[in-house]
Amino acid sequence: MLFRSTTVFFVLLLMARILGRKQLSQLTFFHYITGITIGSIAGEIAGKSHTSMLNGLVSIIWWSLLTILINYLGLKFSKVRVITDGEPVIIIKEGKILERELRKLHLNMDDLSMLFREKNIFSINEIYHAVFEPNGKLSIMLKHEFQPLTNKEQHGFTVKPKYMPMELIVDGKVVEKNLREVGITEAWLGNQLKILNLNRENVFYVELQQDGSLYIDKRDDTQKE
């Protein structure tokens, strides 16, 4: 049993290094389930002598390889990433609760209020935007009057944000869902890039800012707009 446990220990250590930090942090439900399954197989090998050690090790390695394959496909194809990890869902937009999105997530107002209180927010009136992330956590943008003052704001005027910051291009691919969300056309986005002498081929990431401007990261990483 000591030999089996020691072997499993080092195999798990190796697999953890190969799978990387994303797996260790259990960012999404997919990675959470994968981590539990690999751990269960390891426990079966180490704790039960009648379980075939060879078969168990093969299972751990094969499950890990499948996880690596899915992660690789997720990096290459956004649709695979949506299937395995899910995607962020806006549940409060410009201070208004989107009941339809709550129903899709099977969230009720008691659950939502609890999640807000965990963020030290006790009134939904303080929230301008709220996004339910694929890992089950909430990302919140407070209304301007409830945000802490920055040094810049203390010495000048501020304006109400026009947009919620949102990804428009990721890895050179247009995020059509987000374009529709903010009411921007792909043609408009292309014109903005053209003004900057850019095109989608040499742009890695584009994010819409609160004031309607664009944050642009080029593929060569030599310059940011």
Side-chain angles (χ1 to χ4, degrees), residues 121 126-129 140-148 161:
I121 298 173
E126 300 177 16
I127 300 169
Y128 191 62
H129 291 301
I140 296 170
M141 176 188 291
L142 295 174
K143 291 180 179 178
H144 190 268
E145 58 267 30
F146 295 105
Q147 294 180 8

Side-chain angles (χ1 to χ4, degrees), residues 4 6 11 25 32 38 41 51 111 114 161-162 202 209 216:
R4 291 165 69 97
T6 303
V11 169
S25 62
Y32 177 76
I38 292 176
I41 297 172
T51 301
D111 296 331
M114 179 187 68
K162 295 171 57 180
N202 55 19
Q209 303 297 290
I216 300 174

Side-chain angles (χ1 to χ4, degrees), residues 61-96:
I61 295 172
W62 180 241
W63 194 279
S64 300
L65 291 175
L66 288 176
T67 303
I68 293 170
L69 174 63
I70 293 298
N71 286 337
Y72 175 78
L73 293 175
L75 289 174
K76 291 294 183 180
F77 307 103
S78 59
K79 291 184 178 179
V80 174
R81 190 161 59 245
V82 170
I83 293 172
T84 59
D85 294 348
E87 56 185 346
V89 177
I90 299 174
I91 56 177
I92 293 183
K93 183 177 181 181
E94 297 181 357
K96 298 178 181 179

Side-chain angles (χ1 to χ4, degrees), residues 20-28 31:
R21 297 182 181 181
K22 184 175 182 180
Q23 180 66 37
L24 292 175
S25 62
Q26 298 177 343
L27 287 179
T28 65
H31 293 93

Side-chain angles (χ1 to χ4, degrees), residues 124-159:
I124 293 180
N125 183 50
E126 300 177 16
I127 300 169
Y128 191 62
H129 291 301
V131 180
F132 198 77
E133 303 291 356
N135 63 358
K137 296 182 179 180
L138 275 180
S139 298
I140 296 170
M141 176 188 291
L142 295 174
K143 291 180 179 178
H144 190 268
E145 58 267 30
F146 295 105
Q147 294 180 8
L149 282 177
T150 64
N151 290 333
K152 181 179 179 180
E153 292 171 331
Q154 289 175 354
H155 300 287
F157 295 100
T158 58
V159 296

Side-chain angles (χ1 to χ4, degrees), residues 14-15 32 43 52 60-62 66 74 89 102 105 108 118-119 126 134 136 146-147 155 165 186 200 205:
L14 176 62
M15 292 298 100
Y32 177 76
S52 170
I60 290 178
I61 295 172
W62 180 241
L66 288 176
V89 177
L102 288 181
L105 295 169
N108 56 51
E118 289 178 350
K119 296 277 189 179
E126 300 177 16
F146 295 105
Q147 294 180 8
H155 300 287
E186 192 169 340
R200 282 169 52 184
Y205 181 84

